[in-house]
C-alpha cells in the first residue's frame, strides 16, 4: 500500500519523512489492532500492537483503520485570521486554510460542549478539523445541508479483510448500507460498531447520525477525550489520535494539519472547501470508487439502504482526472439565497440586567424575493458590551422555517450601558448581512429616601457619629445596582461643590467633597462613607443623585459642643465661714 504525500510544510519535514518511510514499509498497522499507549512520547512513535482493543474502542479504533487522505498542508502557513466579521469575504492564507462554514461551526460547537462537560480534556477544535480533513476532506468540501447532514453518505471501503481490517457487519447495514461487512461512515469516518456507543446528538435534533457533521464532531470529541485524557499533554494527544486510527503515518498527518490550522483558518461557503487528492488506500484493492463522481447528490440526505453505495471516503483517485472534481449538482437552498430581509424586528432597547422586549427576526430570500427555507442564519453580537443571547452566548445559529424566517433568541442586557450591534448573516455565503442597533440603558431610580431620622451633627474639627443611609426605588420597587453621586453643595440653589464644611476622605486620607461610582446594593440600599468636619460651623447640605433622576438633599450641622450652666454665679463670693 503506497501512501502519497503532498508538499511538506516547514517544521513538519522530519516527522513526515519518517512517516513516509514507515508507510512505504507497512502503509498502516495490521488491521484489527487498537492502541491506548498513553506513555507514547514522540509524534512518530510506533503504535503498540499490544495495547488493549477495548480501550481503543474497537478494531482499529474509531475508523477500523480505513484509508484516509494523506495530503499535507502547504509550505506557506496561513496568515492569522483577522477579527472575525462573519458573513464578509475573507481572503487570507492558503486555500487549504478555508473550512466550510457549517463544518467549522460544528467543530467549534463540539469544543464548547466538551469545555463544559470535560474541561480537563482541553480539546482544541483545530484537532477535530485536522481529523475531519484527513478523514473526509471536511465532509467533501462542506457538501452538507443546513442541519449539517451530508447530501449523500460518505462511506469508506468494505472492511472485508482484502487490504483492510476484517470487520463483519455489526449494524445490519443501517448506517453503511452493507449487511455483509462494516464500512467507515460519515465526515469523521466512524465504523458502525464504534458509533453504537460513541455516537452523540450534536445539533439537538434528537438523533445520533454519523452522517451529520455536528453529531460526528461531538462524537469524535468525546472519543478523543475518553479515559480522562488531557489533550494539552502531547503524549496523551498522540495516544488519542492513534486510538482513532492506528497508524504512525496517520498520526503525523493529523498533527501536521493541527499545527497548520492553529496558525490561522477562515470560513468559506459550504460546498467550496478544498478537496484532498491523495489517499492511503490509492493502491489498495477493495476500495470502492466514489459514486459521487457519477451521481447527483440527493438534496434530501437519507440513510443508505443495505447494499447501496453512497459517496465513499478516501478511495482510489487520480489527480487531475474527472473523478477528483465534484460533479455539477443542483444548488443547495443556501446557494439560492440572494439577500436577507428584516422580518419584523422591534426596537432593541433594555435596561441593564433586563431582557429585551423585542427580538431580531430576518428572512432569507432569492433574488426574486422568494423565501428560502432550511438555511442556517447566524446572529452575532458585535461591540463593547456584556449583553448576551439567552443562555449566555454571543452567537446563535438557527435554521429558517418554511417561510424562510429565523428569529434570534432573546437578548439579555448586561451591566455595561451603551450601544452595540446584532448582525445577521447567512452561514456558508459571503453575502452582506443585516445590522441592528441595540442600546442598553443604565439601571434607574426615581426615588431616594433616608433610612433613619437621627439628626446628623458634628463639632468643628470632629467626625459625624452616624453615616448617611439611603434607600433607592424605581416605580415602587427596590432599585438595585443603580449608580449614584454624592456632593457637598454650596446651597439648595447652588449645586456646585462646597469648599468648606463637612467632607469625606479618600483612600489616602485627603479631603473629598464629591463621591462618584457609588452603587446601590441588590436591595437598593446605599451607605455613604463616614463624614468629617473642618473648623467651619454652620448648616451644610449633602446632595445625592442617581441615574433616573432620583435626588435627595440631606442636612448636616456643625456646631460647638454646648457648655454646662453652673449651679451658682462664679463671680459671687461664697459665704464666709462662721466666726469661731
Amino acid at each position: 500500500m503506497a501512501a502519497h504525500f503532498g508538499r511538506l510544510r516547514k517544521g513538519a519535514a522530519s516527522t513526515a519523512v519518517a512517516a513516509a518511510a514507515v508507510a512505504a514499509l507497512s502503509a498502516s498497522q495490521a488491521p484489527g489492532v487498537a492502541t491506548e499507549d498513553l506513555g507514547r512520547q514522540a509524534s512518530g512513535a510506533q503504535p503498540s500492537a499490544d495495547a488493549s482493543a477495548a480501550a481503543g474502542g474497537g478494531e482499529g479504533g474509531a475508523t477500523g483503520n480505513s484509508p484516509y487522505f494523506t495530503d499535507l498542508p502547504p509550505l506557506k502557513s496561513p496568515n492569522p485570521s483577522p477579527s472575525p466579521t462573519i458573513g464578509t469575504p475573507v481572503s487570507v492564507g492558503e486555500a487549504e486554510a478555508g473550512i466550510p462554514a457549517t463544518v467549522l461551526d460544528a467543530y467549534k460547537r463540539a469544543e464548547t460542549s466538551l469545555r463544559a462537560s470535560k474541561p480537563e480534556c482541553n480539546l482544541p477544535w483545530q484537532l477535530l478539523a485536522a481529523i475531519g480533513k484527513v478523514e473526509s476532506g471536511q465532509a467533501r468540501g462542506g457538501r452538507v445541508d443546513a442541519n449539517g447532514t451530508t447530501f449523500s453518505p460518505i462511506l469508506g471501503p468494505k472492511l472485508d479483510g482484502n487490504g483492510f481490517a476484517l470487520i463483519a457487519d455489526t449494524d445490519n447495514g443501517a448506517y453503511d448500507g452493507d449487511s455483509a461487512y462494516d464500512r467507515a461512515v460519515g465526515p469523521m469516518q466512524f465504523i458502525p460498531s464504534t458509533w453504537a456507543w460513541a455516537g452523540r446528538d450534536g445539533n439537538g435534533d434528537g438523533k445520533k447520525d454519523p452522517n451529520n457533521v455536528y453529531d460526528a464532531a461531538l462524537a469524535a470529541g468525546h472519543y478523543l477525550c475518553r479515559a480522562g485524557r488531557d489533550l494539552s499533554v502531547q503524549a496523551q494527544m498522540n495516544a488519542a489520535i492513534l486510538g482513532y486510527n492506528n497508524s504512525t503515518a496517520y498520526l503525523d498527518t493529523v498533527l501536521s494539519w493541527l499545527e497548520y490550522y492553529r496558525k490561522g483558518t477562515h470560513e468559506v461557503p459550504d460546498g467550496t472547501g478544498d478537496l484532498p487528492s491523495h489517499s492511503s488506500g490509492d493502491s489498495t484493492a477493495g476500495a470502492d470508487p466514489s459514486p459521487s463522481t457519477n451521481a447527483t447528490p440527493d438534496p434530501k440526505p437519507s440513510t443508505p439502504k443495505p447494499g447501496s453505495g453512497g459517496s465513499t471516503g478516501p478511495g482510489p483517485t487520480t489527480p487531475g482526472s474527472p473523478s477528483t472534481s465534484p460533479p455539477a449538482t443542483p444548488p443547495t437552498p443556501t446557494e439560492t439565497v440572494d439577500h436577507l430581509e428584516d422580518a419584523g424586528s422591534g426596537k432593541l432597547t433594555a435596561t441593564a440586567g433586563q431582557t429585551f422586549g423585542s427580538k431580531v427576526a430576518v428572512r432569507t430570500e432569492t433574488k426574486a424575493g422568494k423565501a428560502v427555507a432550511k438555511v442556517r442564519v447566524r446572529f452575532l453580537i458585535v461591540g463593547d458590551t456584556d449583553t448576551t443571547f439567552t443562555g449566555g452566548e454571543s452567537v446563535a445559529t438557527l435554521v429558517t422555517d418554511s417561510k424562510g424566517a429565523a428569529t434570534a433568541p432573546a437578548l439579555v442586557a448586561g451591566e455595561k450601558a451603551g450601544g452595540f450591534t446584532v448582525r445577521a448573516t447567512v452561514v456558508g455565503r459571503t453575502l452582506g448581512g443585516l445590522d441592528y442597533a441595540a442600546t442598553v440603558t443604565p439601571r434607574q431610580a426615581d426615588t431616594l429616601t433616608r433610612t433613619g431620622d437621627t439628626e446628623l451633627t458634628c463639632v468643628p474639627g470632629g467626625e459625624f457619629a452616624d453615616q448617611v443611609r439611603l434607600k433607592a426605588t424605581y416605580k415602587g420597587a427596590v432599585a438595585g445596582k443603580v449608580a449614584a453621586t454624592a456632593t457637598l453643595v454650596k446651597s439648595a440653589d447652588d449645586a456646585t461643590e462646597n469648599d468648606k464644611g463637612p467632607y469625606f476622605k479618600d483612600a489616602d486620607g485627603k479631603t473629598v467633597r464629591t463621591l462618584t461610582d457609588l452603587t446601590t446594593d441588590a436591595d437598593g440600599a446605599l451607605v455613604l462613607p463616614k463624614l468629617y468636619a473642618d473648623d467651619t460651623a454652620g448648616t451644610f447640605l449633602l446632595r445625592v443623585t442617581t441615574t433616573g433622576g432620583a435626588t435627595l438633599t440631606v442636612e448636616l450641622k456643625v456646631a460647638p459642643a454646648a457648655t454646662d450652666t453652673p449651679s451658682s454665679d462664679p463671680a459671687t463670693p461664697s459665704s464666709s465661714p462662721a466666726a469661731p
Side-chain angles (χ1 to χ4, degrees):
M1 185 187 303
H4 296 264
F5 291 85
R7 294 170 289 160
L8 300 181
R9 61 169 177 72
K10 198 172 184 179
S14 59
T15 56
V17 170
V22 173
L25 294 173
S26 59
S28 65
Q29 301 306 303
V33 178
T35 65
E36 280 300 315
D37 181 7
L38 295 181
R40 189 176 291 106
Q41 297 294 327
S43 64
Q46 187 73 11
S48 169
D50 300 324
S52 166
E59 294 198 37
T63 70
N65 285 344
S66 293
Y68 58 91
F69 288 116
T70 57
D71 302 56
L72 289 174
L75 286 169
K76 183 179 179 181
S77 296
N79 297 324
S81 297
S83 178
T85 302
I86 300 178
T88 57
V90 180
S91 57
V92 302
E94 299 283 347
E96 290 88 341
I99 299 178
T102 300
V103 179
L104 180 60
D105 186 52
Y107 296 148
K108 291 185 176 181
R109 186 182 295 188
E111 180 197 57
T112 299
S113 177
L114 268 297
R115 191 185 301 128
S117 63
K118 295 184 178 181
E120 71 283 355
C121 179
N122 295 303
L123 171 76
W125 66 261
Q126 292 91 341
L127 176 57
L128 297 176
I131 291 175
K133 179 71 172 181
V134 302
E135 291 295 350
S136 68
Q138 310 298 19
R140 290 289 189 190
R143 295 294 300 171
V144 297
D145 69 6
N147 293 313
T149 303
T150 58
F151 287 116
S152 59
I154 299 174
L155 302 175
K158 295 179 181 181
L159 297 177
D160 57 5
N162 185 17
F164 305 108
L166 174 58
I167 304 178
D169 174 65
T170 61
D171 65 331
N172 197 30
Y175 293 123
D176 57 15
D178 193 321
S179 58
Y181 301 98
D182 271 350
R183 306 169 74 169
V185 182
M188 304 303 276
Q189 289 289 278
F190 277 95
I191 55 174
S193 58
T194 301
W195 184 260
W197 61 266
R200 294 292 191 281
D201 177 12
N203 62 352
D205 63 358
K207 298 183 292 184
K208 300 176 182 179
D209 182 3
N211 293 297
N212 182 279
V213 69
Y214 287 96
D215 296 356
L218 184 59
H222 278 278
Y223 186 92
L224 295 165
C225 287
R226 71 196 190 285
R229 287 195 183 105
D230 178 359
L231 300 186
S232 66
V233 178
Q234 189 62 53
Q236 296 191 34
M237 177 182 283
N238 293 349
I241 298 169
L242 286 166
Y244 205 91
N245 188 314
N246 187 25
S247 163
T248 302
Y250 178 86
L251 170 66
D252 288 319
T253 305
V254 169
L255 290 177
S256 295
W257 282 106
L258 169 62
E259 182 179 347
Y260 182 75
Y261 285 142
R262 277 177 164 166
K263 291 181 179 178
T265 61
H266 58 272
E267 178 182 290
V268 298
D270 290 342
T272 66
D274 187 67
L275 293 175
S277 57
H278 298 92
S279 166
S280 63
D282 280 353
S283 302
T284 304
D288 293 342
S290 171
S292 65
T293 62
N294 52 27
T296 299
D298 184 352
K300 295 183 178 179
S302 59
T303 303
K305 297 179 181 179
S308 66
S311 63
T312 64
T317 57
T318 303
S321 68
S323 63
T324 62
S325 301
T329 59
T332 65
T334 299
E335 291 168 339
T336 67
V337 176
D338 176 75
H339 59 274
L340 282 170
E341 284 288 336
D342 180 67
S345 305
K347 187 176 182 181
L348 300 176
T349 58
T351 301
Q354 303 299 311
T355 299
F356 282 67
S358 299
K359 299 179 181 179
V360 175
V362 299
R363 185 172 55 255
T364 51
E365 294 184 352
T366 64
K367 190 172 184 179
K370 183 180 178 181
V372 185
K374 297 183 179 180
V375 173
R376 297 181 69 83
V377 174
R378 180 176 292 136
F379 299 94
L380 180 68
I381 296 174
V382 181
D384 184 16
T385 181
D386 54 357
T387 294
T388 65
F389 292 115
T390 303
E393 299 293 333
S394 60
V395 61
T397 306
L398 294 97
V399 178
T400 57
D401 61 18
S402 60
K403 297 180 180 179
T407 302
L411 290 162
V412 179
E415 294 303 321
K416 185 173 292 184
F420 62 94
T421 299
V422 178
R423 178 168 297 150
T425 57
V426 177
V427 175
R429 295 296 304 274
T430 55
L431 303 171
L434 292 180
D435 284 353
Y436 294 84
T439 304
V440 175
T441 58
R443 294 175 184 262
Q444 302 178 41
D446 56 17
T447 304
L448 270 176
T449 56
R450 184 178 166 221
T451 55
D453 54 4
T454 304
E455 189 177 44
L456 299 171
T457 61
C458 179
V459 298
E463 60 183 56
F464 288 80
D466 297 311
Q467 291 175 260
V468 178
R469 299 174 183 273
L470 308 172
K471 187 82 170 184
T473 58
Y474 182 70
K475 295 182 179 179
V478 295
K481 299 182 181 180
V482 175
T485 300
T487 305
L488 290 146
V489 298
K490 290 185 175 180
S491 70
D493 299 323
D494 187 352
T496 57
E497 182 181 290
N498 207 337
D499 57 0
K500 58 185 176 182
Y503 61 91
F504 301 103
K505 289 182 179 180
D506 64 12
D508 298 323
K510 296 179 180 179
T511 298
V512 175
R513 289 192 169 91
T514 297
L515 293 178
T516 57
D517 298 327
L518 299 172
T519 306
T520 63
D521 65 16
D523 296 322
L526 177 63
V527 180
L528 300 186
K530 184 180 287 292
L531 279 160
Y532 302 85
D534 62 13
D535 294 333
T536 308
T539 299
F540 301 90
L541 299 178
L542 170 65
R543 182 163 294 165
V544 183
T545 60
T546 70
T547 52
T551 302
L552 179 67
T553 302
V554 180
E555 193 173 79
L556 307 172
K557 292 183 178 180
V558 179
T563 57
D564 294 334
T565 302
S567 59
S568 61
D569 187 351
T572 304
S574 60
S575 301
S576 300

